Amino acid sequence: MRGLLLVGLCFLFLNCEDKQSKAKTTKNTSKTVVKTSTKDTTPKREFPYLTEDNAMEFFLEYEPKNKENKVRIVTSVGDIDLLLYDKTKFHRANFIFLTKQGAFDNTQFHRVVKNFIIQGGNTDNIKVAAKRRKIGHYLLPTDTKRGYTHKRGVISMPSSEIENPHKLASPYEFFITQQDAYHLDGDFTIFGKVIKGMDIVDKINAVDVDESDWPLTNIYIKTVKIID
């Protein structure tokens, strides 16, 4: 009799445990609802896309808030330090803005004319080109009546490859005079000077070039950065 009682209790216990197990299994196999966020995660632009219509207005506002005026061009053959002039504020602001955007990084000194200039900023690097396309497409007007002359060691801005009567300048390129070049005065905007590294300018100017003045050995601009 006692044995039958124990068997009954065991059966009852196992039966209850089986029901609880089924209940847990049913609960755990219920469908999970995943909520999909509809929030726009596209990063917002910090600056507007620059065009000829809005670039000058942008730099007019940008210039007084970004007063840095010393930069270092780090090249594959050495560093060139520049002081940018406050008087040519739009060109200074443009150079500082593009420096902060990394627009000159991984470009080249692509034109070297003996005893004259070294010109930089051009590149066939597709990543740099893509970065510049995101910044904008614009030209800058000349600002030549500030009393500066194209003496040895100044940085100036070449006119665009696009023919235009006002010699509007490509914002992504620049040249440094290796010798006095006063015949350029009045046509191109001087916006700074070399304060350290003219030996590097001379070294670049001495390299061998092809018939289009492109150095036979590429001279890279690794980066341009703000300095104190």
Side-chain angles (χ1 to χ4, degrees):
M1 187 70 178
R2 185 177 179 182
L4 290 173
L5 180 61
L6 288 172
V7 171
L9 289 173
C10 288
F11 178 78
L12 179 63
F13 175 76
L14 290 172
N15 189 43
C16 291
E17 187 177 40
D18 184 57
K19 288 181 179 179
Q20 291 176 358
S21 178
K22 288 181 178 179
K24 289 179 180 179
T25 301
T26 303
K27 183 177 180 180
N28 291 338
T29 57
S30 61
K31 293 183 178 179
T32 302
V33 178
V34 179
K35 293 184 178 180
T36 303
S37 175
T38 58
K39 185 178 180 181
D40 184 8
T41 58
T42 303
K44 293 182 179 179
R45 291 180 63 95
E46 185 179 358
F47 302 104
Y49 179 84
L50 297 182
T51 67
E52 292 183 38
D53 292 330
N54 68 0
M56 296 305 289
E57 182 180 352
F58 169 77
F59 287 121
L60 183 64
E61 183 177 342
Y62 183 88
E63 188 273 333
K65 298 176 183 177
N66 297 268
K67 286 295 188 180
E68 299 93 339
N69 64 354
K70 291 182 181 178
V71 298
R72 175 169 295 153
I73 303 174
V74 180
T75 82
S76 53
V77 296
D79 298 348
I80 303 169
D81 291 355
L82 302 170
L83 172 68
L84 306 183
Y85 296 143
D86 292 331
K87 287 183 179 180
T88 48
K89 61 182 181 180
F90 289 111
H91 294 73
R92 182 196 65 79
N94 171 75
F95 202 84
I96 292 298
F97 172 70
L98 293 180
T99 293
K100 290 182 177 181
Q101 303 307 305
F104 298 117
D105 298 358
N106 302 313
T107 60
Q108 298 174 42
F109 278 102
H110 60 280
R111 182 170 177 248
V112 171
V113 183
K114 291 287 189 294
N115 302 315
F116 183 35
I117 64 163
I118 61 173
Q119 185 167 330
N122 202 347
T123 182
D124 55 5
N125 186 309
I126 58 175
K127 291 184 178 179
V128 175
K131 181 186 294 184
R132 290 178 171 184
R133 281 196 298 270
K134 290 181 180 179
I135 292 172
H137 181 73
Y138 61 101
L139 299 174
L140 293 177
T142 55
D143 188 2
T144 60
K145 297 179 180 180
R146 302 293 179 178
Y148 304 125
T149 60
H150 282 85
K151 60 184 179 180
R152 169 176 160 85
V154 299
I155 182 170
S156 187
M157 190 167 287
S159 58
S160 169
E161 292 181 358
I162 302 171
E163 290 295 330
N164 64 84
H166 303 293
K167 293 187 179 294
L168 299 180
S170 169
Y172 297 108
E173 294 190 23
F174 58 89
F175 66 87
I176 298 172
T177 51
Q178 196 268 342
Q179 294 293 341
D180 295 343
Y182 301 125
H183 63 285
L184 300 179
D185 294 350
D187 287 333
F188 306 99
T189 301
I190 300 163
F191 63 99
K193 66 179 181 180
V194 175
I195 55 176
K196 184 179 179 182
M198 272 306 295
D199 58 323
I200 303 302
V201 174
D202 292 337
K203 186 175 182 179
I204 295 172
N205 190 257
V207 301
D208 293 328
V209 299
D210 63 17
E211 61 278 3
S212 62
D213 298 324
W214 193 291
L216 296 179
T217 300
N218 288 331
I219 307 296
Y220 291 100
I221 297 173
K222 296 180 179 179
T223 188
V224 178
K225 58 185 179 181
I226 309 294
I227 59 175
D228 295 331

PDB file of all heavy atoms in Angstrom, residues 95 98 104 110 119-122 132 156-159 161 170-175 191:
ATOM      1  N   PHE A  95      42.385  79.289 -47.771  1.00  0.00           N
ATOM      2  CA  PHE A  95      43.488  78.353 -47.550  1.00  0.00           C
ATOM      3  C   PHE A  95      43.358  77.666 -46.188  1.00  0.00           C
ATOM      4  O   PHE A  95      43.609  76.457 -46.068  1.00  0.00           O
ATOM      5  CB  PHE A  95      44.829  79.079 -47.650  1.00  0.00           C
ATOM      6  CG  PHE A  95      45.986  78.173 -47.960  1.00  0.00           C
ATOM      7  CD1 PHE A  95      46.280  77.826 -49.267  1.00  0.00           C
ATOM      8  CD2 PHE A  95      46.784  77.658 -46.950  1.00  0.00           C
ATOM      9  CE1 PHE A  95      47.341  76.984 -49.565  1.00  0.00           C
ATOM     10  CE2 PHE A  95      47.848  76.818 -47.234  1.00  0.00           C
ATOM     11  CZ  PHE A  95      48.129  76.477 -48.543  1.00  0.00           C
ATOM     12  N   LEU A  98      40.391  75.102 -46.428  1.00  0.00           N
ATOM     13  CA  LEU A  98      40.754  73.888 -47.158  1.00  0.00           C
ATOM     14  C   LEU A  98      41.787  73.058 -46.399  1.00  0.00           C
ATOM     15  O   LEU A  98      41.778  71.826 -46.462  1.00  0.00           O
ATOM     16  CB  LEU A  98      41.279  74.255 -48.548  1.00  0.00           C
ATOM     17  CG  LEU A  98      40.247  74.860 -49.507  1.00  0.00           C
ATOM     18  CD1 LEU A  98      40.887  75.180 -50.859  1.00  0.00           C
ATOM     19  CD2 LEU A  98      39.053  73.927 -49.693  1.00  0.00           C
ATOM     20  N   PHE A 104      44.283  69.566 -49.265  1.00  0.00           N
ATOM     21  CA  PHE A 104      45.597  69.555 -49.898  1.00  0.00           C
ATOM     22  C   PHE A 104      46.363  68.261 -49.637  1.00  0.00           C
ATOM     23  O   PHE A 104      47.402  68.021 -50.260  1.00  0.00           O
ATOM     24  CB  PHE A 104      46.437  70.741 -49.401  1.00  0.00           C
ATOM     25  CG  PHE A 104      45.854  72.088 -49.727  1.00  0.00           C
ATOM     26  CD1 PHE A 104      45.454  72.956 -48.719  1.00  0.00           C
ATOM     27  CD2 PHE A 104      45.700  72.495 -51.040  1.00  0.00           C
ATOM     28  CE1 PHE A 104      44.923  74.205 -49.010  1.00  0.00           C
ATOM     29  CE2 PHE A 104      45.173  73.748 -51.350  1.00  0.00           C
ATOM     30  CZ  PHE A 104      44.785  74.603 -50.328  1.00  0.00           C
ATOM     31  N   HIS A 110      52.958  69.863 -58.901  1.00  0.00           N
ATOM     32  CA  HIS A 110      52.796  69.291 -60.229  1.00  0.00           C
ATOM     33  C   HIS A 110      53.407  70.131 -61.344  1.00  0.00           C
ATOM     34  O   HIS A 110      53.458  69.693 -62.496  1.00  0.00           O
ATOM     35  CB  HIS A 110      51.301  69.104 -60.527  1.00  0.00           C
ATOM     36  CG  HIS A 110      50.530  70.394 -60.476  1.00  0.00           C
ATOM     37  ND1 HIS A 110      50.113  70.960 -59.287  1.00  0.00           N
ATOM     38  CD2 HIS A 110      50.116  71.232 -61.454  1.00  0.00           C
ATOM     39  CE1 HIS A 110      49.465  72.074 -59.539  1.00  0.00           C
ATOM     40  NE2 HIS A 110      49.461  72.266 -60.851  1.00  0.00           N
ATOM     41  N   GLN A 119      54.552  75.029 -58.295  1.00  0.00           N
ATOM     42  CA  GLN A 119      53.089  75.112 -58.179  1.00  0.00           C
ATOM     43  C   GLN A 119      52.545  73.803 -57.624  1.00  0.00           C
ATOM     44  O   GLN A 119      52.901  72.719 -58.082  1.00  0.00           O
ATOM     45  CB  GLN A 119      52.470  75.403 -59.541  1.00  0.00           C
ATOM     46  CG  GLN A 119      50.957  75.635 -59.490  1.00  0.00           C
ATOM     47  CD  GLN A 119      50.428  76.225 -60.790  1.00  0.00           C
ATOM     48  OE1 GLN A 119      51.146  76.953 -61.487  1.00  0.00           O
ATOM     49  NE2 GLN A 119      49.185  75.926 -61.132  1.00  0.00           N
ATOM     50  N   GLY A 120      51.652  73.911 -56.635  1.00  0.00           N
ATOM     51  CA  GLY A 120      51.136  72.722 -55.968  1.00  0.00           C
ATOM     52  C   GLY A 120      49.631  72.691 -55.867  1.00  0.00           C
ATOM     53  O   GLY A 120      48.940  73.676 -56.129  1.00  0.00           O
ATOM     54  N   GLY A 121      49.123  71.524 -55.497  1.00  0.00           N
ATOM     55  CA  GLY A 121      47.694  71.357 -55.248  1.00  0.00           C
ATOM     56  C   GLY A 121      47.000  70.414 -56.197  1.00  0.00           C
ATOM     57  O   GLY A 121      45.900  69.947 -55.913  1.00  0.00           O
ATOM     58  N   ASN A 122      47.607  70.127 -57.345  1.00  0.00           N
ATOM     59  CA  ASN A 122      46.965  69.242 -58.312  1.00  0.00           C
ATOM     60  C   ASN A 122      47.216  67.782 -57.940  1.00  0.00           C
ATOM     61  O   ASN A 122      48.160  67.462 -57.224  1.00  0.00           O
ATOM     62  CB  ASN A 122      47.502  69.513 -59.719  1.00  0.00           C
ATOM     63  CG  ASN A 122      46.542  69.051 -60.794  1.00  0.00           C
ATOM     64  OD1 ASN A 122      45.592  68.325 -60.526  1.00  0.00           O
ATOM     65  ND2 ASN A 122      46.793  69.470 -62.021  1.00  0.00           N
ATOM     66  N   ARG A 132      37.138  66.860 -52.683  1.00  0.00           N
ATOM     67  CA  ARG A 132      36.977  68.222 -53.187  1.00  0.00           C
ATOM     68  C   ARG A 132      35.606  68.432 -53.821  1.00  0.00           C
ATOM     69  O   ARG A 132      35.025  69.513 -53.719  1.00  0.00           O
ATOM     70  CB  ARG A 132      38.095  68.548 -54.185  1.00  0.00           C
ATOM     71  CG  ARG A 132      39.458  68.687 -53.519  1.00  0.00           C
ATOM     72  CD  ARG A 132      40.564  68.964 -54.513  1.00  0.00           C
ATOM     73  NE  ARG A 132      41.805  69.293 -53.833  1.00  0.00           N
ATOM     74  CZ  ARG A 132      42.928  69.658 -54.452  1.00  0.00           C
ATOM     75  NH1 ARG A 132      42.959  69.737 -55.771  1.00  0.00           N
ATOM     76  NH2 ARG A 132      44.010  69.946 -53.762  1.00  0.00           N
ATOM     77  N   SER A 156      51.205  82.600 -53.896  1.00  0.00           N
ATOM     78  CA  SER A 156      50.204  83.298 -54.689  1.00  0.00           C
ATOM     79  C   SER A 156      49.244  82.272 -55.281  1.00  0.00           C
ATOM     80  O   SER A 156      49.508  81.061 -55.234  1.00  0.00           O
ATOM     81  CB  SER A 156      50.906  84.098 -55.798  1.00  0.00           C
ATOM     82  OG  SER A 156      50.002  84.917 -56.506  1.00  0.00           O
ATOM     83  N   MET A 157      48.144  82.759 -55.807  1.00  0.00           N
ATOM     84  CA  MET A 157      47.116  81.867 -56.322  1.00  0.00           C
ATOM     85  C   MET A 157      46.996  82.009 -57.831  1.00  0.00           C
ATOM     86  O   MET A 157      46.733  83.099 -58.343  1.00  0.00           O
ATOM     87  CB  MET A 157      45.770  82.162 -55.649  1.00  0.00           C
ATOM     88  CG  MET A 157      44.699  81.131 -55.938  1.00  0.00           C
ATOM     89  SD  MET A 157      43.262  81.327 -54.828  1.00  0.00           S
ATOM     90  CE  MET A 157      43.939  80.719 -53.290  1.00  0.00           C
ATOM     91  N   PRO A 158      47.177  80.891 -58.568  1.00  0.00           N
ATOM     92  CA  PRO A 158      47.091  80.953 -60.028  1.00  0.00           C
ATOM     93  C   PRO A 158      45.656  81.111 -60.494  1.00  0.00           C
ATOM     94  O   PRO A 158      44.715  80.775 -59.774  1.00  0.00           O
ATOM     95  CB  PRO A 158      47.662  79.603 -60.466  1.00  0.00           C
ATOM     96  CG  PRO A 158      47.318  78.688 -59.327  1.00  0.00           C
ATOM     97  CD  PRO A 158      47.440  79.537 -58.086  1.00  0.00           C
ATOM     98  N   SER A 159      45.487  81.617 -61.703  1.00  0.00           N
ATOM     99  CA  SER A 159      44.138  81.707 -62.260  1.00  0.00           C
ATOM    100  C   SER A 159      43.671  80.325 -62.665  1.00  0.00           C
ATOM    101  O   SER A 159      44.467  79.398 -62.849  1.00  0.00           O
ATOM    102  CB  SER A 159      44.109  82.646 -63.472  1.00  0.00           C
ATOM    103  OG  SER A 159      45.013  82.204 -64.462  1.00  0.00           O
ATOM    104  N   GLU A 161      42.171  77.123 -64.751  1.00  0.00           N
ATOM    105  CA  GLU A 161      42.447  76.608 -66.094  1.00  0.00           C
ATOM    106  C   GLU A 161      41.362  77.052 -67.074  1.00  0.00           C
ATOM    107  O   GLU A 161      41.583  77.124 -68.272  1.00  0.00           O
ATOM    108  CB  GLU A 161      42.515  75.076 -66.053  1.00  0.00           C
ATOM    109  CG  GLU A 161      43.716  74.545 -65.288  1.00  0.00           C
ATOM    110  CD  GLU A 161      43.764  73.033 -65.289  1.00  0.00           C
ATOM    111  OE1 GLU A 161      42.844  72.420 -65.857  1.00  0.00           O
ATOM    112  OE2 GLU A 161      44.722  72.466 -64.733  1.00  0.00           O
ATOM    113  N   SER A 170      41.650  79.345 -59.075  1.00  0.00           N
ATOM    114  CA  SER A 170      41.268  78.031 -58.570  1.00  0.00           C
ATOM    115  C   SER A 170      41.635  77.955 -57.090  1.00  0.00           C
ATOM    116  O   SER A 170      42.794  78.174 -56.731  1.00  0.00           O
ATOM    117  CB  SER A 170      42.009  76.935 -59.341  1.00  0.00           C
ATOM    118  OG  SER A 170      41.834  75.692 -58.700  1.00  0.00           O
ATOM    119  N   PRO A 171      40.684  77.661 -56.207  1.00  0.00           N
ATOM    120  CA  PRO A 171      40.967  77.699 -54.771  1.00  0.00           C
ATOM    121  C   PRO A 171      41.855  76.565 -54.285  1.00  0.00           C
ATOM    122  O   PRO A 171      42.426  76.642 -53.195  1.00  0.00           O
ATOM    123  CB  PRO A 171      39.578  77.592 -54.146  1.00  0.00           C
ATOM    124  CG  PRO A 171      38.781  76.812 -55.140  1.00  0.00           C
ATOM    125  CD  PRO A 171      39.290  77.261 -56.478  1.00  0.00           C
ATOM    126  N   TYR A 172      41.989  75.508 -55.083  1.00  0.00           N
ATOM    127  CA  TYR A 172      42.706  74.317 -54.641  1.00  0.00           C
ATOM    128  C   TYR A 172      44.183  74.308 -55.047  1.00  0.00           C
ATOM    129  O   TYR A 172      44.898  73.371 -54.728  1.00  0.00           O
ATOM    130  CB  TYR A 172      42.031  73.061 -55.211  1.00  0.00           C
ATOM    131  CG  TYR A 172      40.608  72.868 -54.728  1.00  0.00           C
ATOM    132  CD1 TYR A 172      39.529  73.074 -55.583  1.00  0.00           C
ATOM    133  CD2 TYR A 172      40.333  72.476 -53.417  1.00  0.00           C
ATOM    134  CE1 TYR A 172      38.225  72.885 -55.154  1.00  0.00           C
ATOM    135  CE2 TYR A 172      39.041  72.287 -52.981  1.00  0.00           C
ATOM    136  CZ  TYR A 172      37.985  72.496 -53.848  1.00  0.00           C
ATOM    137  OH  TYR A 172      36.694  72.317 -53.414  1.00  0.00           O
ATOM    138  N   GLU A 173      44.636  75.339 -55.757  1.00  0.00           N
ATOM    139  CA  GLU A 173      46.031  75.374 -56.194  1.00  0.00           C
ATOM    140  C   GLU A 173      46.720  76.653 -55.709  1.00  0.00           C
ATOM    141  O   GLU A 173      46.071  77.643 -55.375  1.00  0.00           O
ATOM    142  CB  GLU A 173      46.116  75.256 -57.717  1.00  0.00           C
ATOM    143  CG  GLU A 173      45.646  73.898 -58.237  1.00  0.00           C
ATOM    144  CD  GLU A 173      45.951  73.714 -59.712  1.00  0.00           C
ATOM    145  OE1 GLU A 173      46.876  74.400 -60.221  1.00  0.00           O
ATOM    146  OE2 GLU A 173      45.279  72.891 -60.352  1.00  0.00           O
ATOM    147  N   PHE A 174      48.044  76.611 -55.721  1.00  0.00           N
ATOM    148  CA  PHE A 174      48.849  77.759 -55.287  1.00  0.00           C
ATOM    149  C   PHE A 174      50.242  77.619 -55.894  1.00  0.00           C
ATOM    150  O   PHE A 174      50.633  76.546 -56.355  1.00  0.00           O
ATOM    151  CB  PHE A 174      48.945  77.798 -53.756  1.00  0.00           C
ATOM    152  CG  PHE A 174      49.545  76.557 -53.146  1.00  0.00           C
ATOM    153  CD1 PHE A 174      50.921  76.449 -52.954  1.00  0.00           C
ATOM    154  CD2 PHE A 174      48.738  75.485 -52.791  1.00  0.00           C
ATOM    155  CE1 PHE A 174      51.478  75.301 -52.419  1.00  0.00           C
ATOM    156  CE2 PHE A 174      49.286  74.323 -52.237  1.00  0.00           C
ATOM    157  CZ  PHE A 174      50.656  74.222 -52.053  1.00  0.00           C
ATOM    158  N   PHE A 175      50.968  78.730 -55.911  1.00  0.00           N
ATOM    159  CA  PHE A 175      52.369  78.628 -56.324  1.00  0.00           C
ATOM    160  C   PHE A 175      53.234  79.485 -55.411  1.00  0.00           C
ATOM    161  O   PHE A 175      52.770  80.461 -54.804  1.00  0.00           O
ATOM    162  CB  PHE A 175      52.560  79.009 -57.798  1.00  0.00           C
ATOM    163  CG  PHE A 175      52.292  80.450 -58.147  1.00  0.00           C
ATOM    164  CD1 PHE A 175      53.287  81.420 -58.039  1.00  0.00           C
ATOM    165  CD2 PHE A 175      51.037  80.846 -58.621  1.00  0.00           C
ATOM    166  CE1 PHE A 175      53.049  82.746 -58.380  1.00  0.00           C
ATOM    167  CE2 PHE A 175      50.791  82.166 -58.970  1.00  0.00           C
ATOM    168  CZ  PHE A 175      51.794  83.121 -58.847  1.00  0.00           C
ATOM    169  N   PHE A 191      49.034  85.983 -51.150  1.00  0.00           N
ATOM    170  CA  PHE A 191      48.309  85.919 -49.872  1.00  0.00           C
ATOM    171  C   PHE A 191      49.164  85.393 -48.719  1.00  0.00           C
ATOM    172  O   PHE A 191      48.656  85.076 -47.646  1.00  0.00           O
ATOM    173  CB  PHE A 191      47.033  85.081 -50.015  1.00  0.00           C
ATOM    174  CG  PHE A 191      47.243  83.633 -50.380  1.00  0.00           C
ATOM    175  CD1 PHE A 191      47.212  82.642 -49.411  1.00  0.00           C
ATOM    176  CD2 PHE A 191      47.451  83.262 -51.698  1.00  0.00           C
ATOM    177  CE1 PHE A 191      47.390  81.307 -49.742  1.00  0.00           C
ATOM    178  CE2 PHE A 191      47.623  81.932 -52.049  1.00  0.00           C
ATOM    179  CZ  PHE A 191      47.587  80.947 -51.068  1.00  0.00           C
TER     180      PHE A 191
END
